Amino acid sequence: MSHTLDASEFTAIRVEEREDRLHAILNRPEVRNAIDATMVAELHAVCAHLEQTPKILILSGTEVEGRDGTTKGLFASGADIGQLRERRRDDALRGINSGLFDRIHTLPMPVIAAIDGVALGGGAELAWAADFRIATPSLKLGQPETGLGITAAAGAQWRLKELVGEPVALELLLTGRILDAQESLELKLVTELHEPAELIDAAHALADRIAKQDPLAVRISKKVFHMPREAHPHVDDLAQAILFESEAKFDRMQAFLDRKKK
C-alpha cells in the first residue's frame, strides 16, 4: 500500500504526490529559490518518505517576477548567500548540501530535474544529483562559486567530471562560465528542451515511460548502474539472479510471448 507525505507544514517546497511519483516544487520565489536550511530539511523529509515508499521524484522550481516586471521560471539560484556568508569551517564539515544531494542521488527510484530558467551554484549541484535533467530554452546552468571565494562542494567537483569529462568540468568550475540551453543540450547535461508551459508535462511523460517498466527492475538497475567498476560483472549476476525469481519477470515475459502469438 502506497503512503503519502504530509507536507502541510512545509514552507520552502510544495509537494504533489501520485501513486507512482512525487513532484517537489522549490518554492522560495522571494529569494530566487535560494536553498536554505528550511528547504534542506524539507527535502530530507521528502527523501525519508521516498526511501520508505519508493516513487519517481520530479524536482522543479517556481516562477518569479523579473526586474522588468515579467514572470520568469527559476529552478534554484544556489545556496542562500546571506546564510552561506555566516557559515564557518564546522558548517562545511557537516556537509549540509552535499549530504542532501547525495541522498537524493541514491533514492531507490529515478529522479527527474525539470529546470526552467536559472540553476546556479547549489541549484546546479542539485540538478547534477538527478538521474535525468530536462530544461527550457531560458536555461542558465553553472558553478560561480570561485567568484564568491569558495568552491563547489556539493557534488560538482566529481559529478561534473563524470558527466562531461575533465576539460569541460574544469572550465565550468574554475572560470564560472554559465552555460545556456543549447550548450547544455550539446554536452548532454540536459537531454530535452521544452517550452516553459510544457516542461512539467514533459517531466511527467518521462516519468510515465519509467513507470511502465517493472518497478523492481528499475530500482535494481539504478543501484547496479552506480556500482564501482570493480563490482561488475559480479553484481550484475546477483541482480539478475534476484530478478529471475520475481513474479513480475514471469508475468511480463508471458505477456510478451502471448502478444507474439497473436
Side-chain angles (χ1 to χ4, degrees), residues 26 29 51 77 98 113 131 192 219:
L26 311 182
E51 287 160 357
S77 60
S98 61
D131 299 293
E192 302 173 19
R219 286 180 62 182

Side-chain angles (χ1 to χ4, degrees), residues 49-69:
H49 172 62
L50 294 179
E51 287 160 357
Q52 294 299 313
T53 308
K55 298 183 180 187
I56 299 161
L57 173 62
I58 297 172
L59 289 167
S60 71
T62 189
E63 291 186 334
V64 297
E65 187 174 316
R67 293 190 182 96
D68 58 1

Side-chain angles (χ1 to χ4, degrees), residues 179-242:
L179 299 173
D180 63 22
Q182 196 56 44
E183 291 174 306
S184 301
L185 187 65
E186 289 169 1
L187 288 168
K188 303 297 185 187
L189 285 170
V190 300
T191 53
E192 302 173 19
L193 293 179
H194 300 274
E195 290 302 317
E198 300 164 1
L199 181 66
I200 300 306
D201 285 344
H204 280 295
L206 177 53
D208 288 341
R209 297 198 294 274
I210 296 167
K212 286 179 181 176
Q213 314 309 308
D214 172 43
L216 181 61
V218 170
R219 286 180 62 182
I220 288 179
S221 294
K222 176 176 174 175
K223 190 173 285 289
V224 168
F225 183 86
H226 291 295
M227 290 285 183
R229 172 63 184 89
E230 56 269 21
H232 303 279
H234 311 295
V235 71
D236 305 55
D237 295 339
L238 291 170
Q240 195 73 300
I242 293 168

